[in-house]
Amino acid sequence: MSGLCIDRCVCRQTLFADLLPRVRAAGWQLADLIRETGCGGTCGLCRPYLRAMIRTGRTTFDEIILE
């Protein structure tokens, strides 16, 4: 275990676990999530994780995901 745990948009302090139900209920893609929540729209560091969350349903990541 690396000790790394990425589980939120740092700029908005919003947990991916809080975003996933909204994404699924509304059928959002990444652009929709950014527009509606602001997550992924400021520094952009969480975008790869948001993409992975939308694709897989995972809300915590213990690895660095590069775009």
Side-chain angles (χ1 to χ4, degrees):
M1 178 112 179
S2 69
L4 182 66
C5 181
I6 299 166
D7 66 352
R8 72 191 70 218
C9 168
V10 175
C11 295
R12 298 287 182 175
Q13 286 300 304
T14 304
L15 293 170
F16 299 150
D18 292 337
L19 293 171
L20 184 60
R22 295 179 65 190
V23 166
R24 288 190 168 162
W28 289 344
Q29 295 301 314
L30 182 61
D32 304 310
L33 188 153
I34 292 169
R35 181 184 63 251
E36 297 297 324
T37 70
C39 294
T42 304
C43 78
L45 291 174
C46 65
R47 283 186 207 148
Y49 302 96
L50 294 171
R51 279 191 196 94
M53 178 195 74
I54 291 167
R55 187 177 65 254
T56 68
R58 287 178 58 197
T59 59
T60 59
F61 301 88
D62 59 2
E63 72 277 357
I64 303 279
I65 300 175
L66 302 174
E67 295 225 35

